[in-house]
Amino acid sequence: MNIFSSYSIKRKLAAIITITTALALLIAIGVFLAHDIYTLRSVLKNDLETHAKIVRDNISTAILFNDYDSGNEIVSSLAHDSSIVAAEVLLTDGNNFVHYHNNEYDEKYIVDIHRDHISLDLINVRVPVVYNDKTIGTVLVSASKHEITERFIYFFIISLIVMVISLGIAVILSGRMQRLIYVPIHHLADIAKKVSEEKDYKIRAKIYDDDELGELTEDFNEMLEHIQERDENLESLVEERTAEVKLRNEELNTEISERVRTQERLEDSEVRFRSAFYSAAIGMALVKKDHSISQVNQSLCNMLGYKQEELVGTLFKELTFLDDVSLSVDQHFKLVQGKLSHYQLEKRYIHKSGKIIWGLLNVSSVRDINNDFLYAIAQVQDITEAHNLSDELSYQASHDALTELVNRREFERRLARVLDHVEEERSEHAILYIDLDQFKIVNDTCGHTAGDELLHQIANIMEDKIRQRDTLARIGGDEFGVLMEHCNIKQAMRVANVIREAVEEFRFAWGDQAFSIGASIGVSPINMSINNITEILKQADAACYAAKESGRNRVHLYHEKDTSFAKRYGDMQWVTRINSALEQHRFHLYAQPIMNIESSETTHYELLLRMEDEAGAIIPPGAFLPAAERYNLISKLDRWVLNSAFHWLKDISVTDEPISFCSINLSGQNLGDDQFRAYVINKLKETKIDTSKVCFEITETAAIANLNNAMEFIITLKGMGCLFALDDFGSGVSSFAYLKNLPVDFLKIDGMFVKDIVDDPIDFAMVKSINEISHVMGKKTIAEFVEDDAILEKLRSIGVDYAQGYGIGMPAPLEFISSFNVKKVI
Amino acid sequence: MKQINRKLFALLLGTVFTFSVCANEQDALDRQGKFMAVYLLHFSNFVEWPESSFNEKNNFNICINGITEINKHINDIEGDDVKGRKIKIIKNITNEEAKNCQILFISRIDYDSKNIKQILLDGNTLLVSDMEGFISDGGMIEYFVRDNKLRVAINIGSAKKNGLKISSKLLRIAKIVGADK
């Protein structure tokens, strides 16, 4: 391409057209020639194949019957085609059967056929002769390519001539047509040259055609026009600018005087701001970029307890409560950076005295015209009082005022929160439901103040035993709950037992009395299987109830059957059951004999209460008495017992049964009840029974817990001739000091000491000393749990007065009393 | 031992030489017999028999009557396949049995023109013989020798009369007699 670069456009165009045309013609001629030769070749080959096939079809019988004459005749028929050089029929063994040779051609061609090689001059065709599916020979035909060569040369010459003529025409025509392109270009180049030489921008180029060149010329003209215009504009602009400068000078003068006036006004407003700042009722300060105080007013000084000179230069964070520093500093730097234009914050400041001040902080920034931070104006309002009030309110709403533990509402809220996450965390939690066993006794005997104090102390004890993250809450009168997060059942059971033991060890002292307390604890797991708090609380409550049922002061792990059990035998159910048993006379009195050890006579009985259930089974008092105590049915039951016992005593006095006296148990709750005392006195008078045959048994715990009332009851009824026995002596908070003051006639030694008296020397010593002291005090002793004669002998040896237990006689319905005697007499 | 072997070898060489001289005449006859036998087989491909002429056994029967060189070679083609039928060679048949043959070769040695005429009366049998003048007696194909080569002459009229069609391919190489009759 480089050789063309120096040529004119005209020459370039001529060269392009000539080369392109010549190339196109050459390719076309080449393709045509190639196609022609190929076609000729295939026509020739087709012809040859046809000839060979004709020979093949006719020659088979000649071969079969070895007829050479006929064979030669058939092959010779090929002579009519002058292009065929030679033909031959070969037998399968390779021998020549017949052959033919065109005399016009050289003999050597025949050799070529035999050798079967590809010759430049010949085309060979081979066809097999088939008879009955067997090849019996081959026909070979060979033709000359002479005709093709001739034709090729002829075509080639013609093509060359056509090419030369076409090229000539193309060059002549293109010379004419090129003018259309290069004439306008020439013109444009001339004009451009002229403009640049003469600097005359008024000249315009002529537009020839409406093509790209026309457009180019048009653009060129337009460009000239622009240059011309700009030339003219430039001059007028210079004039304009001169005038403008003059005007600006005047404006500047005016502005300067304006600025002076503004300055005066600013100074004025600053004076006013200053006075407002310093005399403001709320705390104000100007804060620098580095969070230090540059100015401060008196109110803020008062609020924080510092003098102005102490505060100026101090960093604000030094006055801030540690927890709030980061937020406060963070907000300040956002303000400095311009991310905030102002902010409001409730934060804690530290007063010079050290106390915490809650402040409502309002800060806005002051910036110059370049928007650079100058200082921040901070307003601080003391909201400590409001804050403390709201803290207190929320604390009160969620806490129990008495124990300062979390209250039921808060407990349930926390439980719900745990439940919300239990599924996603797949974690395990547990809940304890704690019910105090002896709380009612304390509350009833010592009053509510004592009850409250007990709860307070118990709460402290339990709080010490739980893990730090567990929630201990008071969820009812004497009911507590513990929410143990991330805690499996094993751990929960352990904690529950620790709590139970701690409560058991604890002695609640009130005045000069001491009480032991028990805790029945229900444990229930919290897992994905339960999804509402009511259900969980219900389960824990049921477990707690089961703990109570199985004898109090123990821990029970929730089991499914607990729920149904609690439902069936729940406390409330007991109320109905006890009431209906009373109505349907299903309470019965049993009697257990007490033997006079010295005389071996059994004229003394303890009356025991039994309840018969709907199905007729006998239920021991351990099952229904706790419920009766809890729901104030105990006085009703005690009255029934008294009534029945008195009537029985009256009936039996008619017969000649040798009964010296019988013991009737009274619950501690009734000892302090004036109405009950009146009822007893009434009944005694009504039945007119021999009061000396009535002995009331009161428990040591109940008597001591309610000593004053018990004393009154005892004294009154003793005055009427009744006897009194102190039950279970030795098991509770026994003290001989109490005993001294109690005017009872009998002391029942707790069976726990008696039953092992034979083997255990300590028990023996205790029983012995209790017996001795009792005798000194003038009281008779009764040993419980006398299970065999060995025990009886031991008791006899130390001089205990009476014995009671399975070894003496089992409890039996009243009707069998005579049978005890009969048995013993015999 | 070596001497005996040499003698034996000399004897064998002498015998082979003698035979080869005598055999010249015999060889020519033998080759002709072979050609005649093969031609009989080829005829079956260029002649059409009416379908009724084949017996129920569906064999293609080639029968040979008389003493002839063909006998030496004819058994080579027994069992070959012709138009779906197996070739069976039957020798020395009576005139009555001739109608069961598709091709009947009659040796020039036992030739009797009376027999020919009798056979021609009945059936579609292609009669072939190496007897000179066989065609004039009404035979269909006659073998003859020219330029020391075995040639074939065909009587088209006789063939037509007996319901046989002969292919033009066969006719092309044969000497044709009685085309007009």
Side-chain angles (χ1 to χ4, degrees):
Chain A
M1 279 297 154
N2 281 340
I3 42 167
F4 292 109
S5 60
S6 58
Y7 287 10
S8 70
I9 288 176
K10 191 179 173 185
R11 279 194 171 185
K12 277 180 190 160
L13 279 171
I16 290 166
I17 289 163
T18 315
I19 292 169
T20 332
T21 316
L23 208 64
L25 282 170
L26 271 177
I27 292 169
I29 288 166
V31 170
F32 277 126
L33 277 179
H35 178 256
D36 204 43
I37 288 166
Y38 176 76
T39 315
L40 272 175
R41 233 186 102 90
S42 50
V43 166
L44 193 63
K45 191 153 184 172
N46 261 342
D47 281 356
L48 217 53
E49 266 171 5
T50 312
H51 284 312
K53 278 175 185 165
I54 291 169
V55 170
R56 177 199 62 188
D57 288 346
N58 290 321
I59 204 107
S60 56
T61 41
I63 295 172
L64 284 174
F65 291 100
N66 294 314
D67 191 346
Y68 298 103
D69 299 343
S70 173
N72 273 323
E73 205 179 298
I74 292 163
V75 174
S76 302
S77 69
L78 293 171
H80 74 269
D81 191 334
S82 61
S83 67
I84 293 174
V85 176
E88 194 174 16
V89 176
L90 294 172
L91 295 176
T92 45
D93 54 8
N95 287 334
N96 185 326
F97 178 59
V98 284
H99 77 268
Y100 155 77
H101 172 232
N102 190 336
N103 293 327
E104 284 172 38
Y105 295 94
D106 204 325
E107 186 87 27
K108 74 173 167 114
Y109 286 128
I110 298 167
V111 179
D112 285 342
I113 298 176
H114 278 288
R115 292 195 181 153
D116 195 26
H117 76 221
I118 296 158
S119 157
L120 279 177
D121 300 319
L122 291 178
I123 292 177
N124 295 331
V125 165
R126 238 170 203 280
V127 179
V129 182
V130 177
Y131 167 71
N132 268 4
D133 298 333
K134 265 191 294 188
T135 306
I136 56 171
T138 310
V139 178
L140 294 172
V141 183
S142 197
S144 161
K145 282 186 192 167
H146 180 66
E147 204 181 331
I148 300 175
T149 322
E150 267 181 5
R151 222 164 129 171
F152 176 75
I153 294 167
Y154 172 73
F155 265 120
F156 188 68
I157 292 167
I158 295 282
S159 303
L160 275 184
I161 294 167
V162 169
M163 195 172 129
V164 169
I165 294 170
S166 306
L167 266 180
I169 294 169
V171 169
I172 293 163
L173 269 178
S174 71
R176 286 276 163 195
M177 290 164 95
Q178 281 160 28
R179 292 171 71 95
L180 286 174
I181 298 167
Y182 73 76
V183 167
I185 296 175
H186 261 294
H187 173 72
L188 199 61
D190 285 347
I191 294 290
K193 201 171 178 188
K194 204 171 164 191
V195 168
S196 70
E197 277 170 4
E198 295 174 11
K199 303 269 185 258
D200 181 359
Y201 300 114
K202 288 185 185 103
I203 301 172
R204 295 290 179 269
K206 184 184 161 194
I207 296 169
Y208 286 84
D209 290 307
D210 195 14
D211 58 1
E212 286 94 333
L213 275 172
E215 271 173 41
L216 179 67
T217 317
E218 214 169 287
D219 291 343
F220 178 75
N221 284 347
E222 212 169 292
M223 194 176 77
L224 284 178
E225 206 164 296
H226 277 303
I227 296 170
Q228 192 186 346
E229 253 174 49
R230 196 178 293 177
D231 235 16
E232 287 163 6
N233 281 351
L234 217 60
E235 277 171 39
S236 63
L237 204 66
V238 170
E239 281 170 29
E240 257 176 49
R241 285 284 153 90
T242 323
E244 213 170 285
V245 167
K246 218 181 261 174
L247 195 71
R248 278 283 154 91
N249 265 338
E250 281 167 25
E251 278 175 3
L252 215 60
N253 284 337
T254 336
E255 206 178 309
I256 290 169
S257 53
E258 186 82 16
R259 285 270 167 95
V260 172
R261 276 204 294 279
T262 313
Q263 186 69 30
E264 285 165 1
R265 276 206 298 274
L266 257 174
E267 277 163 18
D268 187 37
S269 99
E270 201 181 321
V271 169
R272 268 184 284 164
F273 168 75
R274 199 163 293 221
S275 83
F277 178 85
Y278 283 109
S279 57
I282 61 168
M284 285 185 83
L286 299 188
V287 187
K288 287 201 240 170
K289 224 177 201 171
D290 63 356
H291 211 205
S292 68
I293 298 171
S294 69
Q295 286 179 43
V296 65
N297 74 354
Q298 194 53 46
S299 299
L300 190 59
C301 294
N302 295 343
M303 197 188 295
L304 299 175
Y306 291 96
K307 285 178 188 155
Q308 274 194 23
E309 27 316 357
E310 287 175 310
L311 284 181
V312 170
T314 312
L315 289 176
F316 241 116
K317 68 174 184 187
E318 288 169 24
L319 302 166
T320 304
F321 183 68
L322 198 64
D323 287 359
D324 296 341
V325 169
S326 71
L327 181 63
S328 173
V329 171
D330 192 44
Q331 292 288 77
H332 176 73
F333 285 107
K334 275 189 185 155
L335 192 76
V336 172
Q337 286 162 11
K339 288 178 187 165
L340 291 173
S341 62
H342 73 276
Y343 66 85
Q344 194 178 49
L345 199 62
E346 267 187 34
K347 58 178 267 197
R348 285 161 286 186
Y349 294 95
I350 302 170
H351 192 266
K352 195 177 182 181
S353 65
K355 74 176 183 199
I356 285 173
I357 305 286
W358 274 97
L360 176 64
L361 177 65
N362 254 305
V363 187
S364 46
S365 63
V366 178
R367 296 175 173 275
D368 65 11
I369 25 173
N370 298 326
N371 206 29
D372 282 338
F373 179 86
L374 291 177
Y375 54 84
I377 303 175
Q379 293 176 304
V380 189
Q381 212 173 334
D382 186 349
I383 54 164
T384 310
E385 224 163 281
H387 225 279
N388 290 345
L389 198 66
S390 86
D391 273 358
E392 203 173 309
L393 278 175
S394 74
Y395 182 85
Q396 279 174 6
S398 60
H399 285 74
D400 171 45
L402 177 65
T403 55
E404 288 179 3
L405 294 177
V406 167
N407 63 15
R408 187 178 186 114
R409 205 176 64 169
E410 177 68 9
F411 185 73
E412 286 180 354
R413 199 183 63 78
R414 292 187 192 182
L415 184 57
R417 197 180 55 199
V418 167
L419 265 185
D420 281 347
H421 294 108
V422 76
E423 203 153 322
E424 62 197 59
E425 287 174 1
R426 299 181 163 279
S427 45
E428 219 183 331
H429 315 284
I431 183 173
L432 309 184
Y433 201 100
I434 305 169
D435 192 288
L436 299 182
D437 290 334
Q438 265 75 42
F439 174 72
K440 274 224 151 56
I441 295 170
V442 175
N443 217 23
D444 293 347
T445 56
C446 306
H448 291 297
T449 326
D452 289 354
E453 182 56 28
L454 171 63
L455 289 175
H456 188 75
Q457 290 182 17
I458 289 277
N460 283 338
I461 289 167
M462 292 199 289
E463 205 158 26
D464 283 347
K465 302 300 172 196
I466 60 169
R467 307 176 310 168
Q468 199 158 15
R469 59 173 170 214
D470 297 338
T471 303
L472 172 65
R474 183 180 170 212
I475 52 181
D478 59 343
E479 289 161 346
F480 295 86
V482 183
L483 174 60
M484 308 182 78
E485 294 179 48
H486 302 286
C487 172
N488 60 36
I489 275 307
K490 228 167 132 185
Q491 289 170 301
M493 289 293 284
R494 201 169 54 231
V495 172
N497 269 309
V498 169
I499 292 174
R500 187 192 59 75
E501 279 163 20
V503 172
E504 191 182 21
E505 281 167 21
F506 169 69
R507 291 289 176 274
F508 175 65
W510 188 256
D512 47 2
Q513 307 173 45
F515 297 88
S516 59
I517 311 293
S520 297
I521 305 180
V523 183
S524 174
I526 302 174
N527 50 38
M528 284 194 292
S529 62
I530 330 158
N531 51 13
N532 76 64
I533 52 171
T534 326
E535 194 59 35
I536 289 174
L537 284 171
K538 212 192 249 174
Q539 287 189 359
D541 191 15
C544 178
Y545 181 79
K548 237 178 219 310
E549 277 303 303
S550 51
R552 298 177 177 246
N553 195 25
R554 53 190 76 206
V555 176
H556 183 91
L557 174 62
Y558 172 74
H559 187 279
E560 253 174 65
K561 72 173 195 246
D562 293 347
T563 318
S564 55
F565 179 74
K567 211 170 170 186
R568 203 141 35 90
Y569 298 106
D571 281 359
M572 290 309 289
Q573 289 289 319
W574 274 115
V575 176
T576 339
R577 293 186 80 202
I578 292 169
N579 279 328
S580 66
L582 280 170
E583 279 165 24
Q584 295 162 16
H585 310 291
R586 280 193 278 103
F587 277 104
H588 304 289
L589 282 179
Y590 273 48
Q592 188 177 26
I594 298 171
M595 187 177 86
N596 185 323
I597 295 176
E598 205 184 355
S599 65
S600 293
E601 273 181 21
T602 305
T603 53
H604 187 171
Y605 297 90
E606 179 177 359
L607 295 185
L608 300 164
L609 183 62
R610 295 289 185 269
M611 182 175 138
E612 183 190 331
D613 74 3
E614 292 84 346
I618 297 298
I619 303 170
F624 58 84
L625 279 184
E629 273 179 21
R630 195 167 177 173
Y631 292 99
N632 294 321
L633 288 170
I634 199 71
S635 108
K636 214 169 175 180
L637 281 180
D638 274 357
R639 283 172 205 221
W640 182 88
V641 170
L642 283 175
N643 197 25
S644 308
F646 290 172
H647 276 104
W648 176 70
L649 280 172
K650 188 183 173 188
D651 292 347
I652 212 145
S653 64
V654 180
T655 66
D656 250 348
E657 284 297 332
I659 285 178
S660 54
F661 60 90
C662 72
S663 299
I664 300 166
N665 288 287
L666 284 185
S667 83
Q669 221 173 356
N670 289 330
L671 286 181
D673 187 347
D674 292 341
Q675 284 183 341
F676 181 77
R677 193 173 59 198
Y679 178 86
V680 177
I681 296 167
N682 248 350
K683 277 286 158 189
L684 281 173
K685 286 179 180 163
E686 196 183 299
T687 51
K688 291 176 185 159
I689 51 167
D690 181 358
T691 52
S692 69
K693 288 194 171 180
V694 175
C695 175
F696 293 110
E697 277 190 20
I698 53 177
T699 63
E700 183 194 14
T701 325
I704 291 165
N706 212 350
L707 200 60
N708 293 334
N709 290 333
M711 287 286 277
E712 214 179 317
F713 187 91
I714 293 168
I715 289 164
T716 313
L717 285 161
K718 268 186 84 80
M720 292 179 72
C722 294
L723 299 169
F724 275 85
L726 190 60
D727 208 358
D728 299 338
F729 188 82
S731 65
V733 284
S734 312
S735 158
F736 286 118
Y738 288 118
L739 193 58
K740 207 169 141 188
N741 297 324
L742 279 174
V744 294
D745 307 283
F746 297 95
L747 202 72
K748 292 188 86 168
I749 305 166
D750 196 306
M752 302 299 285
F753 306 116
V754 178
K755 69 179 197 291
D756 293 328
I757 196 172
V758 179
D759 303 316
D760 190 335
I762 297 172
D763 282 349
F764 177 73
M766 283 183 90
V767 173
K768 195 176 171 215
S769 61
I770 291 171
N771 185 53
E772 277 166 12
I773 291 168
S774 301
H775 284 168
V776 172
M777 286 178 178
K779 303 176 198 305
K780 290 197 181 305
T781 49
I782 303 172
E784 295 173 323
F785 285 19
V786 180
E787 286 168 357
D788 51 39
D789 289 345
I791 298 173
L792 187 63
E793 278 317 305
K794 271 274 180 197
L795 294 171
R796 200 192 301 273
S797 71
I798 54 175
V800 174
D801 302 305
Y802 294 92
Q804 179 183 4
Y806 287 4
I808 309 300
M810 308 268 277
L814 291 181
E815 304 88 84
F816 296 106
I817 278 197
S818 46
S819 65
F820 291 128
N821 283 321
V822 170
K823 184 183 157 200
K824 276 294 152 192
V825 166
I826 287 165
Chain B
M1 198 65 168
K2 268 185 181 174
Q3 271 190 341
I4 295 172
N5 265 353
R6 204 172 289 166
K7 273 182 191 167
L8 214 75
F9 181 69
L11 190 72
L12 197 71
L13 209 72
T15 317
V16 169
F17 183 73
T18 323
F19 264 95
S20 63
V21 173
C22 298
N24 237 351
E25 181 73 7
Q26 185 63 37
D27 268 1
L29 277 175
D30 193 38
R31 205 166 54 239
Q32 235 166 53
K34 186 179 178 184
F35 275 129
M36 285 198 284
V38 172
Y39 283 11
L40 284 182
L41 173 66
H42 287 338
F43 291 150
S44 65
N45 278 306
F46 294 103
V47 175
E48 270 182 49
W49 281 263
E51 199 57 38
S52 59
S53 67
F54 295 99
N55 63 9
E56 62 272 17
K57 281 186 180 165
N58 220 10
N59 284 331
F60 192 92
N61 297 330
I62 297 178
C63 309
I64 312 290
N65 269 7
I67 299 162
T68 169
E69 296 85 350
I70 289 177
N71 277 333
K72 238 177 167 179
H73 302 280
I74 197 71
N75 287 334
D76 294 348
I77 62 165
E78 178 150 34
D80 277 13
D81 216 56
V82 173
K83 293 175 180 170
R85 296 182 169 94
K86 290 264 184 285
I87 289 178
K88 194 181 174 199
I89 307 295
I90 307 168
K91 287 181 181 168
N92 301 324
I93 50 153
T94 63
N95 289 351
E96 281 74 36
E97 288 168 335
K99 61 173 182 263
N100 292 327
C101 302
Q102 269 69 47
I103 298 174
L104 172 60
F105 179 83
I106 303 160
S107 161
R108 66 181 182 277
I109 296 167
D110 297 293
Y111 189 76
D112 181 352
S113 61
K114 274 187 222 155
N115 283 347
I116 308 298
K117 290 205 170 85
Q118 199 182 338
I119 293 166
L120 279 172
L121 289 175
D122 188 15
N124 313 99
T125 310
L126 181 75
L127 296 180
V128 184
S129 177
D130 53 351
M131 178 69 195
E132 201 180 334
F134 175 60
I135 290 182
S136 338
D137 285 343
M140 281 89 175
I141 297 178
E142 178 184 321
Y143 288 138
F144 66 97
V145 176
R146 198 171 67 193
D147 301 336
N148 215 13
K149 278 181 181 145
L150 184 72
R151 314 295 303 164
V152 176
I154 296 174
N155 183 343
I156 298 181
S158 178
K160 259 189 193 162
K161 214 188 273 171
N162 280 52
L164 302 172
K165 273 187 212 162
I166 298 175
S167 162
S168 62
K169 283 183 179 177
L170 180 59
L171 294 176
R172 198 200 320 275
I173 57 115
K175 181 187 167 192
I176 294 159
V177 176
D180 301 326
K181 288 176 191 172

